[in-house]
Amino acid sequence: RNAATRSCATMPTRRSCLALRDAFLAATGGKPLLLPRMIPLGDVDEDELSLSEAGGMDAAGLPPAIAPLHRQLLLARLVLAWSRAHSRREGGAMTPDQAVRLAGELARLLDQVQTERLGFDALETLVPEDYARHWQITLDFLAILKHHWPRMLKREGALDPSERRNRLLDAQSDAWEKKPPASPVVAAGSTGSIPATARLMQVVAGLPGGMVVLPALDLDLPDDAWEALEETH
């Protein structure tokens, strides 16, 4: 195919993209060929997406993803500030190395929450007031992510990596929904465990030239075996 009708393959990671490239080269005995455009969904970048068709959205205008170490150090600064304020009531402010370790845990929690497209608004209602004292301390601590971190991130002019990935994948989904590509698009190797990825796979499945290839899906499984599988399988 020529470049105008070049097909596209979305894969879970950059490593799987490299494996697919090697598989194509092995199948052709190393002869030159125009490979499909391969997009790693786990580490997506706007240069790899077709965002010129994204309904006017300029992906290059998105704030950059904040660097992981920089984010951890900024969160550590917030943790230390919280610790100093809390120590006036409880005693025993934490050390900088403890703050850095806690900041790393907060960063991982932030990524998980954003990946699942959840938020921190319902934290106050998760635990009955009968168990309030220790939970209130936890709520006070998690206010770092609910209130203070968004303001600091805005001052940095950046986005959390998971949030930026979600926006890029949504932009690609919107683009292909509004203007389906003429060339084939294959989403392979992903189970859609990330909501933004699941939506993109659903869009690909509905494209005229779209196909979703699930990992280790046995299409020759007998009907009675399919019926015995639980929905969560």
Side-chain angles (χ1 to χ4, degrees):
R1 294 179 177 273
N2 59 37
T5 59
R6 186 181 178 190
S7 58
C8 175
T10 64
M11 306 293 291
T13 63
R14 292 189 184 277
R15 179 175 292 182
S16 59
C17 287
L18 292 174
L20 180 60
R21 182 201 64 184
D22 292 342
F24 275 115
L25 293 175
T28 60
K31 294 180 181 178
L33 74 163
L34 180 63
L35 294 173
R37 190 162 53 88
M38 303 177 195
I39 301 175
L41 298 179
D43 190 18
V44 70
D45 186 270
E46 65 263 27
D47 291 338
E48 294 158 339
L49 299 180
S50 303
L51 293 174
S52 60
E53 303 172 357
M57 176 181 175
D58 180 11
L62 279 177
I66 191 168
L69 180 58
H70 186 47
R71 178 172 68 166
Q72 187 172 357
L73 293 177
L74 289 176
L75 284 170
R77 185 186 302 173
L78 294 175
V79 170
L80 280 173
W82 176 88
S83 176
R84 286 193 293 269
H86 188 70
S87 66
R88 288 196 290 268
R89 300 191 301 268
E90 303 289 337
M94 67 180 63
T95 62
D97 62 308
Q98 291 173 325
V100 169
R101 285 197 296 271
L102 269 177
E105 295 300 325
L106 285 178
R108 281 187 282 275
L109 174 62
L110 194 61
D111 286 337
Q112 290 174 350
V113 168
Q114 291 176 345
T115 293
E116 297 299 329
R117 292 188 156 164
L118 302 174
F120 297 97
D121 293 337
L123 284 174
E124 290 85 353
T125 63
L126 291 180
V127 176
E129 293 185 3
D130 295 347
Y131 307 98
R133 185 177 182 281
H134 291 295
W135 180 240
Q136 287 304 319
I137 295 174
T138 302
L139 286 177
D140 191 27
F141 180 69
L142 291 178
I144 293 172
L145 296 183
K146 183 177 179 180
H147 300 298
H148 305 298
W149 177 243
R151 292 196 291 267
M152 180 173 281
L153 194 61
K154 186 176 181 180
R155 288 197 297 270
E156 291 291 316
L159 291 172
D160 287 303
S162 297
E163 175 61 22
R164 194 171 194 276
R165 179 200 58 209
N166 286 345
R167 294 191 190 188
L168 287 171
L169 291 174
D170 282 343
Q172 183 65 83
S173 297
D174 292 341
W176 281 343
E177 280 185 331
K178 293 174 183 176
K179 187 179 179 182
S183 55
V185 178
V186 179
S190 175
T191 59
S193 58
I194 297 174
T197 302
R199 185 201 167 198
L200 182 61
M201 293 171 64
Q202 185 177 20
V203 170
V204 169
L207 294 176
M211 176 185 295
V212 174
V213 181
L214 298 175
L217 175 62
D218 185 0
L219 296 177
D220 297 320
L221 202 65
D223 290 340
D224 56 345
W226 276 112
E227 293 173 0
L229 293 177
E230 299 179 357
E231 292 184 1
T232 55
H233 181 75

